[in-house]
Amino acid sequence: MRDELFPREVTSDVPRMTLTGHERLHVEQHKGLVDYAPEAIALRTACGLMRIDGAGMRFITYTAAEALIVGRIDAIRFPGQEGRS
């Protein structure tokens, strides 16, 4: 019954991402940092690896629950998941 009251993104473990322009990305429900460089960030999620490509990226906030990344964000990808629906 609880799942019927709330949207899937609230009750499931999938990451929630909010991209503002090309310079601010807020990620909720990630599972940890895999790799970091100003040009590429990789986060573990319940959906697999999430790769963020860009330039001059840095973390404003990083906790077990969320990450706030700023810089030029060019792409957000889930390698190995292309073409899946």
Side-chain angles (χ1 to χ4, degrees):
M1 170 119 176
R2 177 184 150 145
D3 289 341
E4 296 170 7
L5 298 175
F6 298 100
R8 180 175 176 254
E9 60 270 11
V10 173
T11 60
S12 70
D13 205 19
V14 297
R16 180 176 175 177
M17 298 162 281
T18 305
L19 179 62
T20 306
H22 287 280
E23 60 261 336
R24 187 178 179 97
L25 176 65
H26 185 229
V27 181
E28 297 174 276
Q29 299 185 158
H30 68 83
K31 302 292 184 187
L33 182 65
V34 175
D35 194 18
Y36 168 76
E39 300 80 28
I41 297 172
L43 295 171
R44 187 175 296 112
T45 75
C47 298
L49 187 69
M50 178 173 61
R51 184 177 171 91
I52 303 127
D53 298 316
M57 294 186 297
R58 68 187 198 291
F59 289 97
I60 296 297
T61 303
Y62 181 85
T63 68
E66 65 182 323
L68 177 57
I69 301 163
V70 297
R72 191 185 79 218
I73 299 165
D74 296 327
I76 302 167
R77 300 181 292 124
F78 288 85
Q81 306 273 330
E82 290 89 1
R84 289 179 60 186
S85 47

mmCIF file of all heavy atoms in Angstrom, residues 45-78:
data_model
loop_
_atom_site.group_PDB
_atom_site.id
_atom_site.type_symbol
_atom_site.label_atom_id
_atom_site.label_comp_id
_atom_site.label_asym_id
_atom_site.label_seq_id
_atom_site.Cartn_x
_atom_site.Cartn_y
_atom_site.Cartn_z
ATOM 1 N N THR A 45 25.650 3.710 -8.420
ATOM 2 C CA THR A 45 24.220 3.865 -8.136
ATOM 3 C C THR A 45 23.552 2.499 -8.194
ATOM 4 O O THR A 45 24.149 1.528 -8.647
ATOM 5 C CB THR A 45 23.521 4.797 -9.162
ATOM 6 O OG1 THR A 45 23.345 4.103 -10.387
ATOM 7 C CG2 THR A 45 24.281 6.096 -9.381
ATOM 8 N N ALA A 46 22.309 2.430 -7.780
ATOM 9 C CA ALA A 46 21.542 1.192 -7.865
ATOM 10 C C ALA A 46 21.318 0.783 -9.320
ATOM 11 O O ALA A 46 21.054 -0.379 -9.603
ATOM 12 C CB ALA A 46 20.204 1.349 -7.148
ATOM 13 N N CYS A 47 21.450 1.729 -10.252
ATOM 14 C CA CYS A 47 21.291 1.452 -11.687
ATOM 15 C C CYS A 47 22.617 1.126 -12.359
ATOM 16 O O CYS A 47 22.665 0.958 -13.566
ATOM 17 C CB CYS A 47 20.671 2.653 -12.382
ATOM 18 S SG CYS A 47 19.033 3.061 -11.791
ATOM 19 N N GLY A 48 23.688 1.069 -11.604
ATOM 20 C CA GLY A 48 25.015 0.837 -12.162
ATOM 21 C C GLY A 48 25.860 2.094 -12.070
ATOM 22 O O GLY A 48 25.502 3.061 -11.407
ATOM 23 N N LEU A 49 26.980 2.075 -12.753
ATOM 24 C CA LEU A 49 27.914 3.185 -12.741
ATOM 25 C C LEU A 49 27.319 4.386 -13.466
ATOM 26 O O LEU A 49 26.758 4.252 -14.550
ATOM 27 C CB LEU A 49 29.221 2.763 -13.412
ATOM 28 C CG LEU A 49 30.362 3.760 -13.334
ATOM 29 C CD1 LEU A 49 30.857 3.858 -11.895
ATOM 30 C CD2 LEU A 49 31.487 3.318 -14.244
ATOM 31 N N MET A 50 27.427 5.559 -12.854
ATOM 32 C CA MET A 50 27.006 6.809 -13.489
ATOM 33 C C MET A 50 28.259 7.637 -13.714
ATOM 34 O O MET A 50 29.010 7.909 -12.781
ATOM 35 C CB MET A 50 26.031 7.596 -12.609
ATOM 36 C CG MET A 50 25.632 8.915 -13.238
ATOM 37 S SD MET A 50 24.327 9.827 -12.378
ATOM 38 C CE MET A 50 25.043 10.113 -10.802
ATOM 39 N N ARG A 51 28.488 8.014 -14.967
ATOM 40 C CA ARG A 51 29.670 8.801 -15.309
ATOM 41 C C ARG A 51 29.230 10.191 -15.746
ATOM 42 O O ARG A 51 28.344 10.343 -16.583
ATOM 43 C CB ARG A 51 30.444 8.111 -16.418
ATOM 44 C CG ARG A 51 31.723 8.802 -16.765
ATOM 45 C CD ARG A 51 32.487 8.011 -17.821
ATOM 46 N NE ARG A 51 33.601 8.784 -18.288
ATOM 47 C CZ ARG A 51 34.828 8.734 -17.764
ATOM 48 N NH1 ARG A 51 35.081 7.917 -16.770
ATOM 49 N NH2 ARG A 51 35.792 9.476 -18.245
ATOM 50 N N ILE A 52 29.890 11.206 -15.163
ATOM 51 C CA ILE A 52 29.615 12.594 -15.482
ATOM 52 C C ILE A 52 30.867 13.155 -16.147
ATOM 53 O O ILE A 52 31.953 13.106 -15.562
ATOM 54 C CB ILE A 52 29.263 13.409 -14.218
ATOM 55 C CG1 ILE A 52 28.071 12.770 -13.513
ATOM 56 C CG2 ILE A 52 28.966 14.854 -14.558
ATOM 57 C CD1 ILE A 52 28.303 12.474 -12.076
ATOM 58 N N ASP A 53 30.739 13.640 -17.367
ATOM 59 C CA ASP A 53 31.859 14.203 -18.110
ATOM 60 C C ASP A 53 31.701 15.708 -18.210
ATOM 61 O O ASP A 53 30.587 16.213 -18.357
ATOM 62 C CB ASP A 53 31.920 13.609 -19.525
ATOM 63 C CG ASP A 53 32.151 12.110 -19.510
ATOM 64 O OD1 ASP A 53 33.011 11.656 -18.732
ATOM 65 O OD2 ASP A 53 31.476 11.399 -20.265
ATOM 66 N N GLY A 54 32.815 16.432 -18.142
ATOM 67 C CA GLY A 54 32.763 17.878 -18.236
ATOM 68 C C GLY A 54 34.133 18.490 -18.053
ATOM 69 O O GLY A 54 35.147 17.894 -18.417
ATOM 70 N N ALA A 55 34.179 19.660 -17.439
ATOM 71 C CA ALA A 55 35.434 20.363 -17.189
ATOM 72 C C ALA A 55 35.294 21.214 -15.941
ATOM 73 O O ALA A 55 34.226 21.751 -15.662
ATOM 74 C CB ALA A 55 35.801 21.240 -18.385
ATOM 75 N N GLY A 56 36.365 21.303 -15.192
ATOM 76 C CA GLY A 56 36.369 22.142 -13.995
ATOM 77 C C GLY A 56 35.343 21.723 -12.950
ATOM 78 O O GLY A 56 34.889 22.556 -12.165
ATOM 79 N N MET A 57 34.977 20.456 -12.929
ATOM 80 C CA MET A 57 33.950 20.002 -11.983
ATOM 81 C C MET A 57 34.544 19.812 -10.590
ATOM 82 O O MET A 57 35.684 19.378 -10.432
ATOM 83 C CB MET A 57 33.323 18.687 -12.472
ATOM 84 C CG MET A 57 32.552 18.834 -13.752
ATOM 85 S SD MET A 57 31.676 17.326 -14.226
ATOM 86 C CE MET A 57 33.031 16.193 -14.485
ATOM 87 N N ARG A 58 33.734 20.144 -9.601
ATOM 88 C CA ARG A 58 34.120 19.936 -8.203
ATOM 89 C C ARG A 58 32.865 19.723 -7.368
ATOM 90 O O ARG A 58 31.763 20.084 -7.782
ATOM 91 C CB ARG A 58 34.941 21.104 -7.679
ATOM 92 C CG ARG A 58 34.201 22.390 -7.527
ATOM 93 C CD ARG A 58 35.160 23.536 -7.168
ATOM 94 N NE ARG A 58 34.508 24.685 -6.618
ATOM 95 C CZ ARG A 58 33.708 25.517 -7.281
ATOM 96 N NH1 ARG A 58 33.436 25.315 -8.536
ATOM 97 N NH2 ARG A 58 33.164 26.544 -6.667
ATOM 98 N N PHE A 59 33.050 19.150 -6.204
ATOM 99 C CA PHE A 59 31.937 18.910 -5.293
ATOM 100 C C PHE A 59 31.734 20.120 -4.395
ATOM 101 O O PHE A 59 32.676 20.624 -3.794
ATOM 102 C CB PHE A 59 32.204 17.690 -4.404
ATOM 103 C CG PHE A 59 32.133 16.386 -5.141
ATOM 104 C CD1 PHE A 59 33.281 15.773 -5.614
ATOM 105 C CD2 PHE A 59 30.911 15.767 -5.362
ATOM 106 C CE1 PHE A 59 33.215 14.574 -6.287
ATOM 107 C CE2 PHE A 59 30.830 14.569 -6.043
ATOM 108 C CZ PHE A 59 31.993 13.963 -6.507
ATOM 109 N N ILE A 60 30.509 20.588 -4.307
ATOM 110 C CA ILE A 60 30.125 21.593 -3.316
ATOM 111 C C ILE A 60 29.670 20.859 -2.060
ATOM 112 O O ILE A 60 29.982 21.252 -0.941
ATOM 113 C CB ILE A 60 28.999 22.506 -3.860
ATOM 114 C CG1 ILE A 60 29.494 23.295 -5.056
ATOM 115 C CG2 ILE A 60 28.461 23.421 -2.775
ATOM 116 C CD1 ILE A 60 30.626 24.256 -4.764
ATOM 117 N N THR A 61 28.916 19.775 -2.265
ATOM 118 C CA THR A 61 28.445 18.919 -1.172
ATOM 119 C C THR A 61 28.666 17.474 -1.573
ATOM 120 O O THR A 61 28.415 17.098 -2.715
ATOM 121 C CB THR A 61 26.927 19.123 -0.926
ATOM 122 O OG1 THR A 61 26.670 20.492 -0.654
ATOM 123 C CG2 THR A 61 26.438 18.269 0.228
ATOM 124 N N TYR A 62 29.164 16.674 -0.628
ATOM 125 C CA TYR A 62 29.258 15.235 -0.861
ATOM 126 C C TYR A 62 28.997 14.538 0.471
ATOM 127 O O TYR A 62 29.760 14.693 1.415
ATOM 128 C CB TYR A 62 30.625 14.819 -1.401
ATOM 129 C CG TYR A 62 30.685 13.329 -1.656
ATOM 130 C CD1 TYR A 62 30.230 12.800 -2.850
ATOM 131 C CD2 TYR A 62 31.133 12.463 -0.678
ATOM 132 C CE1 TYR A 62 30.234 11.441 -3.084
ATOM 133 C CE2 TYR A 62 31.138 11.100 -0.891
ATOM 134 C CZ TYR A 62 30.692 10.598 -2.090
ATOM 135 O OH TYR A 62 30.691 9.233 -2.312
ATOM 136 N N THR A 63 27.876 13.825 0.542
ATOM 137 C CA THR A 63 27.546 13.040 1.731
ATOM 138 C C THR A 63 27.117 11.651 1.264
ATOM 139 O O THR A 63 27.020 11.391 0.062
ATOM 140 C CB THR A 63 26.396 13.680 2.540
ATOM 141 O OG1 THR A 63 25.185 13.588 1.776
ATOM 142 C CG2 THR A 63 26.682 15.133 2.892
ATOM 143 N N ALA A 64 26.830 10.787 2.201
ATOM 144 C CA ALA A 64 26.346 9.447 1.859
ATOM 145 C C ALA A 64 24.995 9.511 1.154
ATOM 146 O O ALA A 64 24.638 8.590 0.422
ATOM 147 C CB ALA A 64 26.243 8.592 3.115
ATOM 148 N N ALA A 65 24.258 10.589 1.330
ATOM 149 C CA ALA A 65 22.915 10.705 0.758
ATOM 150 C C ALA A 65 22.866 11.495 -0.540
ATOM 151 O O ALA A 65 21.985 11.276 -1.361
ATOM 152 C CB ALA A 65 21.979 11.355 1.774
ATOM 153 N N GLU A 66 23.797 12.438 -0.738
ATOM 154 C CA GLU A 66 23.692 13.306 -1.905
ATOM 155 C C GLU A 66 25.041 13.864 -2.320
ATOM 156 O O GLU A 66 25.998 13.861 -1.546
ATOM 157 C CB GLU A 66 22.727 14.451 -1.643
ATOM 158 C CG GLU A 66 23.206 15.400 -0.567
ATOM 159 C CD GLU A 66 22.224 16.509 -0.278
ATOM 160 O OE1 GLU A 66 21.574 17.015 -1.206
ATOM 161 O OE2 GLU A 66 22.110 16.865 0.901
ATOM 162 N N ALA A 67 25.079 14.340 -3.553
ATOM 163 C CA ALA A 67 26.264 15.015 -4.079
ATOM 164 C C ALA A 67 25.801 16.207 -4.903
ATOM 165 O O ALA A 67 24.843 16.102 -5.675
ATOM 166 C CB ALA A 67 27.081 14.064 -4.950
ATOM 167 N N LEU A 68 26.476 17.328 -4.725
ATOM 168 C CA LEU A 68 26.211 18.522 -5.522
ATOM 169 C C LEU A 68 27.502 18.857 -6.251
ATOM 170 O O LEU A 68 28.530 19.123 -5.626
ATOM 171 C CB LEU A 68 25.761 19.695 -4.654
ATOM 172 C CG LEU A 68 25.522 21.014 -5.373
ATOM 173 C CD1 LEU A 68 24.478 20.869 -6.492
ATOM 174 C CD2 LEU A 68 25.099 22.087 -4.391
ATOM 175 N N ILE A 69 27.445 18.800 -7.577
ATOM 176 C CA ILE A 69 28.609 18.994 -8.426
ATOM 177 C C ILE A 69 28.407 20.272 -9.234
ATOM 178 O O ILE A 69 27.331 20.482 -9.804
ATOM 179 C CB ILE A 69 28.784 17.791 -9.378
ATOM 180 C CG1 ILE A 69 28.955 16.509 -8.563
ATOM 181 C CG2 ILE A 69 29.946 18.006 -10.337
ATOM 182 C CD1 ILE A 69 28.729 15.237 -9.344
ATOM 183 N N VAL A 70 29.440 21.104 -9.284
ATOM 184 C CA VAL A 70 29.400 22.301 -10.118
ATOM 185 C C VAL A 70 30.587 22.273 -11.073
ATOM 186 O O VAL A 70 31.583 21.596 -10.830
ATOM 187 C CB VAL A 70 29.399 23.607 -9.286
ATOM 188 C CG1 VAL A 70 28.151 23.691 -8.424
ATOM 189 C CG2 VAL A 70 30.655 23.730 -8.446
ATOM 190 N N GLY A 71 30.473 23.013 -12.146
ATOM 191 C CA GLY A 71 31.480 23.056 -13.198
ATOM 192 C C GLY A 71 30.743 22.922 -14.521
ATOM 193 O O GLY A 71 29.513 22.962 -14.570
ATOM 194 N N ARG A 72 31.481 22.747 -15.611
ATOM 195 C CA ARG A 72 30.820 22.536 -16.898
ATOM 196 C C ARG A 72 30.482 21.046 -17.028
ATOM 197 O O ARG A 72 31.362 20.208 -17.023
ATOM 198 C CB ARG A 72 31.726 22.959 -18.054
ATOM 199 C CG ARG A 72 30.942 23.002 -19.383
ATOM 200 C CD ARG A 72 31.821 23.306 -20.559
ATOM 201 N NE ARG A 72 32.512 22.076 -20.937
ATOM 202 C CZ ARG A 72 33.778 22.031 -21.356
ATOM 203 N NH1 ARG A 72 34.503 23.113 -21.411
ATOM 204 N NH2 ARG A 72 34.313 20.885 -21.696
ATOM 205 N N ILE A 73 29.200 20.738 -17.137
ATOM 206 C CA ILE A 73 28.737 19.356 -17.249
ATOM 207 C C ILE A 73 28.313 19.126 -18.687
ATOM 208 O O ILE A 73 27.369 19.745 -19.181
ATOM 209 C CB ILE A 73 27.591 19.082 -16.251
ATOM 210 C CG1 ILE A 73 28.116 19.293 -14.829
ATOM 211 C CG2 ILE A 73 27.037 17.672 -16.443
ATOM 212 C CD1 ILE A 73 27.073 19.402 -13.770
ATOM 213 N N ASP A 74 29.041 18.242 -19.365
ATOM 214 C CA ASP A 74 28.787 17.966 -20.781
ATOM 215 C C ASP A 74 27.901 16.743 -20.997
ATOM 216 O O ASP A 74 27.127 16.713 -21.948
ATOM 217 C CB ASP A 74 30.106 17.752 -21.534
ATOM 218 C CG ASP A 74 30.969 18.997 -21.553
ATOM 219 O OD1 ASP A 74 30.416 20.121 -21.584
ATOM 220 O OD2 ASP A 74 32.208 18.854 -21.540
ATOM 221 N N ALA A 75 28.023 15.739 -20.130
ATOM 222 C CA ALA A 75 27.267 14.493 -20.347
ATOM 223 C C ALA A 75 27.107 13.735 -19.038
ATOM 224 O O ALA A 75 27.979 13.783 -18.169
ATOM 225 C CB ALA A 75 27.982 13.606 -21.368
ATOM 226 N N ILE A 76 25.977 13.041 -18.936
ATOM 227 C CA ILE A 76 25.718 12.119 -17.834
ATOM 228 C C ILE A 76 25.385 10.791 -18.494
ATOM 229 O O ILE A 76 24.451 10.710 -19.286
ATOM 230 C CB ILE A 76 24.544 12.591 -16.958
ATOM 231 C CG1 ILE A 76 24.827 13.976 -16.394
ATOM 232 C CG2 ILE A 76 24.282 11.579 -15.836
ATOM 233 C CD1 ILE A 76 23.619 14.652 -15.792
ATOM 234 N N ARG A 77 26.175 9.776 -18.208
ATOM 235 C CA ARG A 77 25.997 8.484 -18.882
ATOM 236 C C ARG A 77 25.974 7.342 -17.872
ATOM 237 O O ARG A 77 26.523 7.451 -16.781
ATOM 238 C CB ARG A 77 27.147 8.227 -19.861
ATOM 239 C CG ARG A 77 27.277 9.263 -20.938
ATOM 240 C CD ARG A 77 28.418 8.967 -21.905
ATOM 241 N NE ARG A 77 29.718 9.095 -21.239
ATOM 242 C CZ ARG A 77 30.637 8.140 -21.188
ATOM 243 N NH1 ARG A 77 30.428 6.966 -21.722
ATOM 244 N NH2 ARG A 77 31.788 8.347 -20.584
ATOM 245 N N PHE A 78 25.351 6.268 -18.280
ATOM 246 C CA PHE A 78 25.373 5.006 -17.557
ATOM 247 C C PHE A 78 26.022 3.989 -18.487
ATOM 248 O O PHE A 78 25.323 3.326 -19.256
ATOM 249 C CB PHE A 78 23.953 4.575 -17.156
ATOM 250 C CG PHE A 78 23.371 5.407 -16.052
ATOM 251 C CD1 PHE A 78 22.723 6.600 -16.334
ATOM 252 C CD2 PHE A 78 23.478 5.001 -14.737
ATOM 253 C CE1 PHE A 78 22.196 7.382 -15.315
ATOM 254 C CE2 PHE A 78 22.946 5.775 -13.707
ATOM 255 C CZ PHE A 78 22.310 6.966 -14.000
#
